[in-house]
Amino acid sequence: MNFIKKNIISIISITFLVVYTIFGMFIYYKDYDRKEQQKVYDRCINDTEFYELKKGSCDELKNYEHLTDDAYTIFYSVFRVYEPTFPLIYILPLFVIIPSIWQVQKEISSNYAKNYLTRDSYKSYFKRMVKSVYKHAWILPVYCLIIFLVSYLFSGHLDYSFSIDHSYATYGIDKLNLGLLFILGLIFNVFIHSLAYCNLALICARKNKSLILTVLETFLFWYLIVLGIEIIGV
C-alpha cells in the first residue's frame, strides 16, 4: 500500500497508457484486420473453382506459414499507423516528465528544500532528489514491453515474412533479423530517452516553482533538442 501511495502518479500514467493503447488497438482491429488473406487461403484449399480462378495468388499464399499481422508489425503500427494510438508517440515524454518532477516540484514550491538543507548537506539532498526523479524512468520501457506482449497476443506469431514481402508497415529487415534482441534494444533505447527526460525536468525545475511551467519547459526543450539534431543531421 505504501508503494502504491508513493508511486501513484507513475501508476496512473502507465495504467492510462496501457488501457488507452489496448483500447485503440481493439478499435482499429474492429474495422481492419489482415485476416482477409487467411480467408482467401482457406477458399483456395476448399473451393476448387476459386482456386482455378485465383491460381497465381493461391500458389503464392501457400509459401507463407502465417498470413496475419506478426507481432512486430502490430507493435510498429501502434505508434506509426493506428489512428487511435499513433499520436501518443508525440506526447510520451510527458508521461515520464510529470511523474518524475511531481514530488520535487512540490518540495521546491513549499520551501521544503531550504528546510531540509538546515538539517543535512546539499550533497545528501541532491542524491535524494536525483533518485526520486530517476526512479520514474521505468514507465515507458515497461509500457513498451507490455504493448509488445499484447501485440503478440493479438498476432500469435513472430513470422514477419509476409509483412516484409508485401510492404506492410513494419521495421526494416535488418532489424527484424535480430529477433527479440531488437525489441530489447528498442526498449533499452526508450529507457535512455526516459533518463534524458528526467535530466531535463530536473534542470528546468531549478528555475521554476510551478509544475506546469516546468513540464512545459521540459517538453519544449526536448523537442528543440530533437529539432536541432534533425537540422544538423546527427
Side-chain angles (χ1 to χ4, degrees), residues 178-195:
L178 296 173
L180 292 177
L181 282 177
F182 165 62
I183 295 298
L184 292 176
L186 187 149
I187 290 172
F188 179 73
N189 184 50
V190 170
F191 176 69
I192 297 300
H193 277 73
S194 295
L195 290 178

Side-chain angles (χ1 to χ4, degrees), residues 41-230:
Y41 180 66
D42 291 341
R43 285 195 67 186
C44 289
I45 296 175
N46 301 315
D47 188 335
T48 305
E49 185 177 340
F50 180 81
Y51 174 77
E52 292 299 328
L53 185 65
K54 302 284 186 179
K55 190 175 185 303
S57 299
C58 289
D59 289 342
E60 181 189 5
L61 292 176
K62 289 179 182 178
N63 296 325
Y64 298 99
E65 183 178 354
H66 298 98
L67 300 173
T68 53
D69 285 341
D70 57 274
Y72 300 110
T73 297
I74 293 175
F75 183 71
Y76 175 95
S77 299
V78 165
F79 302 106
R80 299 290 184 181
V81 178
Y82 300 167
E83 288 186 8
T85 57
F86 85 83
L88 269 180
I89 197 168
Y90 300 106
I91 60 170
L92 283 179
L94 292 175
F95 291 91
V96 176
I97 294 169
I98 295 174
S100 69
I101 210 64
W102 186 276
Q103 185 60 37
V104 171
Q105 197 68 60
K106 282 174 63 178
E107 292 180 7
I108 293 173
S109 301
S110 64
N111 291 320
Y112 173 87
K114 290 181 180 179
N115 294 331
Y116 184 94
L117 291 174
T118 63
R119 304 189 306 271
D120 213 332
S121 67
Y122 175 79
K123 184 178 180 181
S124 171
Y125 179 71
F126 182 75
K127 284 182 178 179
R128 176 181 166 278
M129 187 167 58
V130 168
K131 184 179 178 181
S132 172
V133 171
Y134 279 7
K135 73 177 184 180
H136 300 282
W138 61 269
I139 295 173
L140 293 186
V142 170
Y143 163 64
C144 288
L145 178 60
I146 291 172
I147 296 306
F148 182 76
L149 293 176
V150 172
S151 298
Y152 182 77
L153 290 176
F154 265 74
S155 168
H157 67 91
L158 300 171
D159 180 13
Y160 51 83
S161 56
F162 190 88
S163 295
I164 289 292
D165 291 347
H166 292 78
S167 301
Y168 281 96
T170 189
Y171 300 99
I173 186 64
D174 55 329
K175 295 175 181 177
L176 292 174
N177 282 338
L178 296 173
L180 292 177
L181 282 177
F182 165 62
I183 295 298
L184 292 176
L186 187 149
I187 290 172
F188 179 73
N189 184 50
V190 170
F191 176 69
I192 297 300
H193 277 73
S194 295
L195 290 178
Y197 306 149
C198 291
N199 276 327
L200 289 174
L202 202 53
I203 292 169
C204 293
R206 295 176 60 186
K207 303 174 184 178
N208 298 303
K209 287 193 174 184
S210 166
L211 175 66
I212 295 174
L213 280 176
T214 298
V215 170
L216 289 176
E217 280 189 16
T218 306
F219 189 66
L220 292 173
F221 192 16
W222 170 253
Y223 274 104
L224 284 174
I225 292 172
V226 172
L227 180 62
I229 291 172
E230 288 290 329

Side-chain angles (χ1 to χ4, degrees), residues 34-42 61 67 162 168:
R34 189 155 54 85
K35 291 179 180 177
E36 194 61 37
Q37 287 87 351
Q38 188 65 53
K39 293 177 183 177
V40 171
Y41 180 66
D42 291 341
L61 292 176
L67 300 173
F162 190 88
Y168 281 96

